[in-house]
Amino acid sequence: MDGFAQPEHTEGTVSATPGTSGASPVRNRMVSRVHTVAFNGIDVLDIDCQVQLSSGMVAFNIVGLPDKAVAESRERVRAALAAMGLALPPRRITVNLAPADVLKEGSHFDLPIAVAVLMAMDVLPNDAFDAHTILGELALDGAITRVAGVLPAAIGANAAGRGIVCPAEQGGEAAWAGDIDVLAPASLLSLVNHVKGTQVLSRPEPALAADDTPIPDLRDVKGQESAKRALEIAAAGGHNLLMMGPPGSGKSMLAARLPGLLPPLSPAEGLETSMVLSVAGELAGGRIRMRRAFRDPHHSATLPALIGGGLRARPGEASLAHNGVLFLDELPEFDRRSLEALRQPLESGRAVIARANAHVTYPARFQLVAAMNPCKCGWLDDPALACGRVPRCAADYQSKISGPLFDRIDLHVDVPAVRPADLALPAPAEGTAEIAARVAVARRLQTARFADYPDAVAHGVTVNAHADGELLDDIAAPDAEGLRLLSDAADRLHLSARAWHRIRRVARTIADLDGADQVRRVHIAEALGYRRVAPGR
């Protein structure tokens, strides 16, 4: 194979071509098969890649409902084989991706097609990869490049009792699937040499993303003690938070410091979060992330970008923030339809994308943090700066947030303008580390409490914000005085049933921060203080 660099660990040079003319002698034979996958959200569908070489007009056809990227695989396969010194035989080559009624999307079908063609050409034994799932994209020089979805594909292969063949760059990603055989070749040639025994592909080790990105400290925020308290409660219980205040009051600064208060992902949460990132092609270097996501899309984001969708029904920002934080700055400036589409994920923890050619469900259990100005000009409470339309402009601006969406946000906090005297003060004594320690204690209390409710945990209930129904009645029943206060407030403020439950969840978190076994009146009172009735009121 003149001109083609041999991969590392290759012992000698072994030709992948049994003949001398660059193409192996081919006879009519049975179909060669390899296992590969298609994706429906983060769910994996087994695909049987079948190749047959037969007599007839010379052609290379791919059937089985392929999209454009799959149809172009024949040119990449042809070039990759040529880089190895092989030529496609002058036969009719038919590639079938079964089941044929499932749409095949993506470039990861290159490698299984190439391997099945090599089997049909007698370059590789026909049973060489019976116990493996194969996926990867081929470069024109035969290199195997990264593709989306390796982690869920490896988990699916493990469930089916198979190993996996994937790009070398993503071997560490596949290794997280468990005790399975992982082959991560850098090129098609190295995979062939591994089968022939002239090269040994070592099993890659599970790879973790480095958490060395500095997280901003809450000590940088001067003043805003009420907002800091609301941020601590939101972190401790996983509650949604809306901050409202004039420009420059520190809303974005506070939101950016929330990830520093949150505990790291559990192994199960990290794996599920990374599966979404893997399908989206955002798992850089095949490294699993254990830090909670912080997604902050611009307010010009479209509905498919926020919820998911598009040509291939990709996950949106709501799913990419799974088990993390979705920060929406300038909330009223987002498209109304996009914001309304968040209502279902906020309740169910799932983003369901229904299209004519796809029905896909992605996990989307995120913590919503939003920030907004009180009015269009932003200076509602400052007579010297407010526009001439006050207070009408505030009502019009805040009404862009619908009542149902507003009702799904647990904590509503005002963030007033910071006075120059506060800015001149030294940094506060308490920062992210001190508050995060209290949050960790409250989270441990919740974990221990939910351990008595295994069915709830199995359905994703890990923090107070997820509790509902009988579970909420058990863990957040207030004392007599607290129940009386909550009932009176519900009557006077005309609270919805959803608001009633959300106030109890927040009160339970406040009680956890206090180390109290039962929700008391003082906890209910503080929770009510973080509740607005409706936008503009």
Side-chain angles (χ1 to χ4, degrees):
M1 292 163 222
D2 297 336
F4 194 89
Q6 296 295 319
E8 297 179 0
H9 308 302
T10 303
E11 300 176 0
T13 302
V14 177
S15 173
T17 310
T20 59
S21 62
S24 61
V26 180
R27 61 186 183 277
N28 287 329
R29 55 173 296 167
M30 296 179 62
V31 174
S32 59
R33 302 170 182 266
V34 297
H35 300 285
T36 186
V37 294
F39 299 101
N40 182 36
I42 62 173
D43 297 326
V44 174
L45 306 176
D46 282 330
I47 301 297
D48 188 16
C49 178
Q50 310 163 2
V51 171
Q52 184 182 58
L53 306 185
S54 59
S55 302
M57 183 180 297
V58 176
F60 191 161
N61 296 319
I62 301 177
V63 299
L65 208 57
D67 74 344
K68 184 65 173 176
V70 182
E72 291 173 346
S73 290
R74 56 177 174 263
E75 301 304 328
R76 292 189 291 271
V77 170
R78 192 192 310 272
L81 294 184
M84 294 172 56
L86 289 168
L88 290 173
R91 298 294 183 98
R92 185 175 186 84
I93 305 173
T94 303
V95 179
N96 180 40
L97 302 174
D101 61 345
V102 174
L103 180 64
K104 317 303 186 307
E105 298 177 321
S107 59
H108 66 275
F109 292 98
D110 290 3
L111 186 56
I113 291 174
V115 169
V117 168
L118 290 173
M119 290 178 176
M121 293 168 60
D122 287 331
V123 174
L124 294 175
N126 205 38
D127 59 351
F129 294 102
D130 283 352
H132 290 81
T133 294
I134 305 176
L135 72 164
E137 179 183 331
L138 289 175
L140 298 185
D141 62 357
I144 302 174
T145 60
R146 68 189 309 273
V147 293
V150 167
L151 179 58
I155 293 174
N158 188 19
R162 295 193 293 264
I164 189 169
V165 180
C166 65
E169 183 182 353
Q170 297 171 287
E173 178 181 339
W176 285 99
D179 187 18
I180 65 171
D181 184 22
V182 178
L183 299 178
S187 67
L188 184 59
L189 175 62
S190 61
L191 181 61
V192 171
N193 286 341
H194 174 81
V195 175
K196 290 180 172 294
T198 59
Q199 177 183 355
V200 177
L201 294 174
S202 58
R203 188 183 191 278
E205 294 298 322
L208 271 176
D211 288 338
D212 53 1
T213 305
I215 297 178
D217 199 306
L218 264 174
R219 195 171 275 110
D220 301 333
V221 182
K222 296 182 179 181
Q224 306 299 8
E225 297 305 321
S226 295
K228 289 180 181 178
R229 171 63 174 174
L231 201 68
E232 178 180 349
I233 295 170
H239 302 288
N240 303 322
L241 171 65
L242 172 64
M243 294 178 286
M244 185 183 301
S249 58
K251 303 183 295 295
S252 298
M253 284 185 67
L254 287 162
R257 283 150 180 78
L258 177 59
L261 304 180
L262 299 173
L265 294 167
S266 68
E269 289 175 332
L271 197 61
E272 187 177 37
T273 301
S274 296
M275 286 174 69
V276 179
L277 296 173
S278 179
V279 169
E282 294 198 10
L283 209 58
R287 297 180 180 273
I288 300 295
R289 299 182 190 177
M290 298 305 292
R291 178 181 288 182
R292 295 184 185 273
F294 181 80
R295 308 289 300 196
D296 54 345
H298 190 262
H299 59 256
S300 61
T302 61
L303 191 152
L306 196 60
I307 304 300
L311 183 61
R312 296 186 179 178
R314 287 169 50 87
E317 293 291 334
S319 295
L320 296 174
H322 182 58
N323 289 323
V325 177
L326 177 63
F327 176 49
L328 302 184
D329 201 5
E330 309 298 344
L331 185 66
E333 302 299 334
F334 280 81
D335 178 70
R336 179 69 175 260
R337 291 175 60 247
S338 300
L339 291 181
E340 295 307 301
L342 287 173
R343 286 157 55 175
Q344 287 86 354
L346 282 171
E347 290 289 337
S348 66
R350 297 178 297 115
V352 181
I353 305 167
R355 299 290 184 270
N357 62 346
H359 191 93
V360 180
T361 301
Y362 289 106
R365 191 175 287 281
F366 56 88
Q367 185 174 353
L368 176 65
V369 177
M372 61 180 287
N373 296 328
C375 60
K376 190 71 174 179
C377 70
W379 305 104
L380 177 65
D381 297 324
D382 191 334
L385 298 174
C387 66
R389 297 186 65 247
V390 171
R392 178 62 183 271
C393 68
D396 292 345
Y397 192 68
Q398 294 181 32
S399 65
K400 293 182 179 181
I401 312 301
S402 70
L405 178 61
F406 196 84
D407 207 32
R408 286 169 167 81
I409 300 177
D410 302 337
L411 301 165
H412 312 128
V413 59
D414 289 323
V415 185
V418 181
R419 297 175 301 172
D422 291 332
L423 295 176
L425 294 174
E430 192 172 67
T432 293
E434 292 77 14
I435 298 176
R438 293 198 297 269
V439 169
V441 172
R443 289 273 183 139
R444 286 195 292 270
L445 288 174
Q446 293 169 58
T447 300
R449 184 184 303 123
F450 292 138
D452 296 331
Y453 303 90
D455 290 342
V457 173
H459 286 84
V461 177
T462 57
V463 289
N464 290 331
H466 303 160
D468 208 349
E470 294 182 3
L471 173 60
L472 184 61
D473 292 337
D474 288 346
I475 68 173
D479 61 12
E481 292 185 2
L483 181 60
R484 188 179 306 111
L485 174 62
L486 180 57
S487 300
D488 291 344
D491 288 338
R492 290 198 305 269
L493 301 177
H494 304 284
L495 297 178
S496 67
R498 180 184 290 114
W500 170 280
H501 294 310
R502 290 185 179 273
I503 289 170
R504 293 168 64 199
R505 293 170 186 161
V506 173
R508 178 65 267 177
T509 300
I510 296 171
D512 288 338
L513 288 169
D514 284 349
D517 293 333
Q518 188 178 19
V519 176
R520 298 196 299 270
R521 179 186 174 89
V522 64
H523 307 135
I524 294 290
E526 184 175 359
L528 285 168
Y530 296 117
R531 193 79 195 176
R532 283 178 178 263
V533 179
R537 295 177 62 186

